[in-house]
Amino acid sequence: MKNFNITRFKRLVRWTYEHDKHEFVRSQLMGLLGFTLCLIFFQIGTPASQGYRMGIIAYVIGITVGIICTGSNMYYSMKTRDDWRALTLLPASNLEKFLARYASALLMTVAIFAIILMADVIQYVFWMIVRPSTEAFIISRFLNGSLGMAFSHFTQTEWMSFGCLVWMLHSFYLLGYNFFRNTKYSWVLTTLALIILTAGIVSLLTWLFPHTGNTIEISSDDWVAPTLALMVTVFNYWLAYRLFCRRQLMGIFINM
């Protein structure tokens, strides 16, 4: 079978949408409810002029974590072995199946931005009723406040480095979701694996370079870090695809 055919891929994307739409709507409604409650909870017990700061922190964390962890949403609708069997028997190549499932995860990423904005509107209406005339949208306070001004001073290279870091972490969760067979808790296992990996790398660097001190300075114009992050990201995507191709209906803890 040809590795990629655009007509066949379109039919596969359509099938994926039909298969995922119920779980997609359910997960987005749960996300909207949870994030709205977080925005409201973080502002309870604080003056109106200061409570929004916690909301801004929740806003930034929600967006960043949402982008990173949606790598673990590639199989969010694959609940049973029958779902996997149906995907396996589809008349499409492994590359088309992998891209279709990843496109579904990217749709979840886009939806996260939508539910965060909707949650902002809901919390705004709520606080306008509770304590009127002192409220504003969190996104507007973020853009016009001190945090927004601080972010505006970031250089292009610093933004590039941050974007590459977030994308790299996203690819790690994508890889973890294809490595661990448990689709419900693979994000937890991936997080633990990242913590252990980071601790191991830091310990190794400390052992190899004992005289560099406790900090490593990187110039704002240094492209080494984003380049390395990009290389790791590409490798993670390739390895995730290879693991996807090796996945079987039967298995235990890891997909090998």
Side-chain angles (χ1 to χ4, degrees):
M1 180 179 292
K2 186 178 179 181
N3 206 29
F4 186 84
N5 181 276
I6 187 63
T7 303
R8 194 169 57 218
F9 180 68
K10 289 179 180 178
R11 291 198 296 265
L12 181 59
V13 170
R14 191 179 304 113
W15 179 90
T16 304
Y17 167 76
E18 293 294 332
H19 183 273
D20 293 0
K21 61 181 180 180
H22 175 74
E23 186 66 23
F24 177 82
V25 173
R26 187 188 71 86
S27 60
Q28 295 312 303
L29 290 177
M30 292 179 58
L32 176 61
L33 176 62
F35 196 74
T36 302
L37 292 177
C38 285
L39 290 180
I40 294 176
F41 175 77
F42 286 152
Q43 299 182 68
I44 293 177
T46 59
S49 59
Q50 299 178 3
Y52 73 90
R53 297 182 184 275
M54 292 301 297
I56 290 176
I57 295 175
Y59 209 96
V60 174
I61 292 176
I63 293 176
T64 305
V65 173
I67 295 174
I68 292 173
C69 290
T70 46
S72 293
N73 288 329
M74 189 170 175
Y75 309 121
Y76 65 93
S77 63
M78 312 296 287
K79 300 294 185 181
T80 65
R81 190 177 298 171
D82 290 335
D83 293 328
W84 284 104
R85 183 178 292 108
L87 178 64
T88 303
L89 296 177
L90 287 174
S93 66
N94 286 330
L95 178 61
E96 292 163 351
K97 295 174 184 177
F98 179 82
L99 293 178
R101 293 310 316 170
Y102 185 61
S104 183
L106 291 182
L107 181 61
M108 293 282 286
T109 305
V110 175
I112 285 175
F113 288 94
I115 66 173
I116 287 177
L117 291 176
M118 292 174 62
D120 195 1
V121 173
I122 295 174
Q123 68 85 29
Y124 171 78
V125 174
F126 174 82
W127 287 116
M128 279 296 294
I129 296 174
V130 174
R131 50 189 189 195
S133 73
T134 59
E135 298 306 315
F137 292 107
I138 291 179
I139 183 62
S140 65
R141 289 190 182 267
F142 169 73
L143 295 176
N144 299 324
S146 56
L147 284 176
M149 294 296 294
F151 286 144
S152 66
H153 289 87
F154 282 7
T155 65
Q156 181 180 2
T157 308
E158 289 170 341
W159 276 114
M160 181 68 70
S161 300
F162 177 75
C164 289
L165 174 63
V166 172
W167 192 13
M168 182 182 69
L169 291 175
H170 172 88
S171 69
F172 270 115
Y173 278 88
L174 176 67
L175 175 60
Y177 215 45
N178 284 277
F179 180 76
F180 298 108
R181 295 189 65 88
N182 190 317
T183 56
K184 186 176 182 179
Y185 298 108
S186 64
W187 66 273
V188 178
L189 299 173
T190 304
T191 302
L192 293 176
L194 281 175
I195 293 174
I196 295 174
L197 179 63
T198 303
I201 292 176
V202 171
S203 300
L204 179 62
L205 291 176
T206 303
W207 178 70
L208 292 175
F209 307 101
H211 303 296
T212 58
N214 298 324
T215 61
I216 299 177
E217 294 184 0
I218 299 178
S219 172
S220 60
D221 295 327
D222 193 348
W223 288 86
V224 174
T227 302
L228 289 176
L230 185 59
M231 293 173 61
V232 173
T233 300
V234 173
F235 175 76
N236 287 344
Y237 273 86
W238 174 82
L239 188 55
Y241 170 67
R242 299 306 303 171
L243 290 174
F244 174 83
C245 294
R246 293 174 58 88
R247 191 179 187 101
Q248 304 294 324
L249 293 178
M250 302 294 292
I252 47 176
F253 184 67
I254 61 175
N255 178 35
M256 293 293 289

